[in-house]
Amino acid sequence: MTTPDLSPAVTAYFELMREPSKTGVAALFTADASVTDDGRTFTGDGEIRAWLAGPASEYTVTHTLVGVERSARNTIADVLLEGDFPGGRVLLRHRFREAASGLITRLTIAVE
């Protein structure tokens, strides 16, 4: 997934999330970053790695970027997720906050 509207970290996040092993995604986050997904918050490297190995890897999915809003260090990406999860299709809003370093400090994923 390459688009000029996404920062390098956000582009890499979506590319690496397509991989069977998502361990490389953790390097895109700051040490004290947090991820909120499905109402649960995962904070710090250890919890984010557990999220990547667990809930984030539970199903086989495809991602289609359907919209992007970007300002300063914030990116909102609307993504159509399709796969073998209950319902099989959902539109998710990913809200990214990045540090000056370009790493992700906060990610919130919610149904749009």
Side-chain angles (χ1 to χ4, degrees):
M1 174 183 299
T2 305
T3 175
D5 295 328
L6 297 178
S7 69
V10 173
T11 298
Y13 169 85
F14 285 117
E15 289 174 355
L16 291 170
M17 287 299 283
R18 294 177 192 270
E19 300 295 323
S21 172
K22 295 171 179 40
T23 56
V25 176
L28 302 172
F29 290 89
T30 61
D32 60 348
S34 65
V35 173
T36 300
D37 181 22
D38 201 23
R40 293 189 54 211
T41 300
F42 305 87
T43 303
D45 185 65
E47 288 186 13
I48 290 173
R49 286 181 185 278
W51 167 72
L52 290 166
S57 297
E58 191 171 359
Y59 302 104
T60 302
V61 299
T62 60
H63 305 85
T64 304
L65 183 66
V66 295
V68 174
E69 297 174 34
R70 187 162 180 217
S71 64
R73 292 187 297 205
N74 296 298
T75 302
I76 298 172
D78 293 328
V79 176
L80 179 62
L81 194 70
E82 296 178 286
D84 60 356
F85 54 90
R89 185 177 185 173
V90 66
L91 182 61
L92 295 177
R93 176 159 280 185
H94 292 66
R95 295 178 181 268
F96 294 89
R97 174 78 175 148
E98 294 178 56
S101 66
L103 294 176
I104 300 165
T105 61
R106 177 106 179 102
L107 170 59
T108 302
I109 305 169
V111 175
E112 179 54 17

